[in-house]
């Protein structure tokens, strides 16, 4: 059975991110052996009423009203309560295709020792009436210990199917100290604990963009502060699993991309107070120089590219610079003696 965990917070029937669309898409699944854990997290609108209406019609839908708020707490409690041997996470303002669960399940069971299944994810720009797929290679295949690094840059927690046994065995849970970036740490540790990853080109997770209530400026500042913590915690995770040497080139590149790409979102950076921006920059540089002790992580190299990013953000080209870094990563990594062959690091 698949346990679907959905954190709920102000996702009622009156917003443009209606919970009903999400739950209707689950109801329409071809794969029927599932439970839906609706983790209510302090909503002040009619979210609870909407959730109860689905629970009253279908006993696979179960509402849990939590005392502790926060999306990380909601997901963690969902994992603890899950009855399924497989787990997937869906945000209550997103929706899935009718073959989503079926495709993930087939991918997970295609061969022995699969620890993670990944399905395509589309960005749905509801105000612009357009969709585009995330820039990942969704060619159907199975990645083993030597090739699974191909998907290490995918920091999203949804559009995936996890093993409950592995989550419990390694005590992998969402970090409640982080805001907005806890999913990246979660998936990073999980990938280090599994042998094989199966990718399907069927099924579809639709990640809604442009809705009301998305990250505010105050929340973005909190996210940036969490990004500093994430940067250190991610390194610690690789050390914990004795993987920092094996993936040192990848990790060096990912630490800088993670920070400027996910936590220093270019569209929000220029709106923040200058003092906050400078303090965050100083903290990041201090982390590179002092917090991470391993000399193979080239602080001077990271600081150089970080400062270049800041320059282009101020000129209004932050997003374009990120695309450049991703496209020409072999050129950027050349001073470190590291090269991606295809999507693997040699």
């Amino acid at each position: 059975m698949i346990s679907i965990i959905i954190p709920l917070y102000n996702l009622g029937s009156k917003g443009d991110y209606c919970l009903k669309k999400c739950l209707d898409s689950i109801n329409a699944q071809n794969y029927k052996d599932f439970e839906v854990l609706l983790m209510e997290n302090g909503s002040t609108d009619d979210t609870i009423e909407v959730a109860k209406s689905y629970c009253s019609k279908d006993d696979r839908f179960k509402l849990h009203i939590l005392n502790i708020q926060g999306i990380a707490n909601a997901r963690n409690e969902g994992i603890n309560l899950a009855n399924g041997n497989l787990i997937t996470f869906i945000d209550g303002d997103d929706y899935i295709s009718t073959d989503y669960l079926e495709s993930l399940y087939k991918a997970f069971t295609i061969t022995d020792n699969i620890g993670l299944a990944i399905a395509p994810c589309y960005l749905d720009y509801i105000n612009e009436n357009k969709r585009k797929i995330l820039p990942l290679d969704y060619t159907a295949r199975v990645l083993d210990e030597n090739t699974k690094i191909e998907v290490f840059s995918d920091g999203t927690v949804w559009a995936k199917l996890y093993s409950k046994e592995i989550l419990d065995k390694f005590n992998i849970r969402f970090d409640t100290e982080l805001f907005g970036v806890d999913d990246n740490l979660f998936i990073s540790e999980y990938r280090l604990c599994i042998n094989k990853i199966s990718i399907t080109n069927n099924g579809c997770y639709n990640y809604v963009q442009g809705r009301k209530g998305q990250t505010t400026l105050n929340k973005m500042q909190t996210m940036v502060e969490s990004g500093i913590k994430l940067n250190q915690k991610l390194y610690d995770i690789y050390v914990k699993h004795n993987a920092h040497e094996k993936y040192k080139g990848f990790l060096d590149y990912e630490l800088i991309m993670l920070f400027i790409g996910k936590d220093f979102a270019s569209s929000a950076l220029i709106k923040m107070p200058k003092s906050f921006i400078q303090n965050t920059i100083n903290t990041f540089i201090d982390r590179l120089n002092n917090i991470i002790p391993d000399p193979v992580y080239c602080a001077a190299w990271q600081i150089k590219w970080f400062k270049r990013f800041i320059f282009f953000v101020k000129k209004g080209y932050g997003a374009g610079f990120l695309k450049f870094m991703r496209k020409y990563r072999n050129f950027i990594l050349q001073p470190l003696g590291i090269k991606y062959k295809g999507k693997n690091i040699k």
Side-chain angles (χ1 to χ4, degrees):
M1 183 171 68
I2 296 176
S3 294
I4 303 170
I5 298 173
I6 308 179
L8 303 182
Y9 179 73
N10 286 349
L11 297 171
S13 60
K14 298 179 181 178
D16 65 348
Y17 38 95
C18 182
L19 175 60
K20 290 182 178 179
K21 185 171 185 178
C22 173
L23 300 185
D24 284 344
S25 72
I26 296 173
N27 246 334
Q29 290 299 295
N30 297 333
Y31 183 90
K32 303 297 184 182
D33 187 17
F34 64 80
E35 65 173 355
V36 183
L37 303 177
L38 301 169
M39 313 305 294
E40 213 310 294
N41 211 13
S43 297
T44 57
D45 63 358
D46 64 343
T47 294
I48 292 179
E49 285 69 29
V50 172
K52 284 182 176 179
S53 69
Y54 283 81
C55 294
S56 65
K57 298 173 186 175
D58 190 333
D59 59 10
R60 294 177 300 176
F61 290 75
K62 304 166 185 177
L63 176 62
H64 299 275
I65 299 177
L66 306 177
N67 295 321
I68 304 176
Q69 294 186 13
I71 191 169
N73 283 313
R75 286 171 172 163
N76 287 341
E77 189 61 23
I79 295 172
N80 295 337
L81 294 171
N83 295 305
N85 60 321
L86 299 172
I87 289 177
T88 192
F89 301 97
I90 299 177
D91 286 352
D93 46 358
D94 298 332
Y95 61 99
I96 54 179
S97 63
T98 55
D99 60 341
Y100 175 75
L101 293 181
E102 179 181 45
S103 300
L104 280 175
Y105 181 78
K106 286 181 178 179
F108 201 100
T109 56
I110 195 170
T111 188
D112 294 337
N113 296 321
I114 298 292
L116 179 70
I118 301 176
C121 177
Y122 280 82
L123 303 178
D124 184 357
Y125 294 84
I126 56 176
N127 296 328
E128 304 175 41
N129 195 29
K130 69 176 184 180
R131 295 168 73 245
K132 67 177 183 180
I133 196 167
L134 281 184
L136 297 171
D137 183 2
Y138 290 111
T139 303
R141 62 200 190 280
V142 174
L143 305 176
D144 60 19
E145 183 65 34
N146 295 318
T147 58
K148 66 181 183 179
I149 194 173
E150 288 185 26
V151 296
F152 270 30
S153 59
D154 178 10
T156 61
V157 71
W158 20 254
K160 297 174 178 66
L161 192 61
Y162 305 83
S163 163
K164 175 73 156 59
E165 181 181 4
I166 291 174
L167 289 173
D168 289 341
K169 177 180 178 180
F170 294 97
N171 193 29
I172 301 172
R173 296 295 188 268
F174 292 88
D175 192 316
T176 57
E177 291 185 356
L178 301 178
F179 171 78
V181 296
D182 55 294
D183 51 349
N184 198 292
L185 194 65
F186 176 90
I187 186 63
S188 293
E189 181 166 20
Y190 188 87
R191 280 188 300 241
L192 294 175
C193 296
I194 59 178
N195 296 317
K196 296 179 183 179
I197 298 174
S198 179
I199 300 175
T200 177
N201 55 9
N202 296 316
C204 174
Y205 186 99
N206 295 282
Y207 179 29
V208 173
Q209 304 288 295
R211 57 178 172 76
K212 296 175 183 177
Q214 284 190 312
T215 307
T216 63
L217 185 56
N218 288 337
K219 288 184 177 180
M220 182 58 72
Q221 290 188 10
T222 303
M223 189 180 293
V224 170
E225 291 165 349
S226 287
I228 297 171
K229 296 178 182 178
L230 170 64
N231 221 236
Q232 174 64 37
K233 286 173 180 282
L234 184 65
Y235 177 84
D236 291 342
I237 285 294
Y238 276 75
V239 172
K240 172 184 173 182
H241 292 278
N242 198 29
H244 58 300
E245 284 296 325
K246 180 177 180 179
Y247 298 114
K248 63 183 179 182
F250 164 81
L251 185 54
D252 197 41
Y253 175 75
E254 278 302 296
L255 287 174
I256 186 71
M257 287 301 294
L258 246 174
F259 193 82
I260 69 175
K262 187 177 181 66
D263 312 306
F264 241 114
S266 56
S267 61
L269 176 61
I270 56 176
K271 300 176 183 178
M272 296 181 186
K274 290 183 178 179
S275 59
F276 177 84
I277 296 173
Q278 193 58 54
N279 180 65
T280 305
I281 292 172
N282 291 341
T283 303
F284 176 68
I285 292 175
D286 177 70
R287 184 204 67 80
L288 291 176
N289 283 325
N290 301 309
I291 298 177
I292 292 182
D294 195 331
V296 301
Y297 294 88
C298 303
W301 174 88
Q302 287 188 328
I303 291 171
K304 180 194 296 184
W305 283 100
F306 183 68
K307 287 183 175 179
R308 286 173 176 171
F309 169 72
I310 296 297
F311 171 81
F312 280 100
V313 165
K314 291 178 179 178
K315 297 295 183 181
Y317 300 107
F321 187 71
L322 292 181
K323 291 179 181 178
F324 167 82
M325 290 189 72
R326 292 188 177 100
K327 186 174 183 180
Y328 296 102
R329 55 186 174 182
N330 276 338
F331 167 75
I332 293 169
L333 289 167
Q334 194 173 23
L336 304 181
I338 299 160
K339 184 178 181 180
Y340 278 77
K341 183 178 180 181
K343 292 185 179 296
N344 301 332
I345 295 178
K346 297 295 184 184

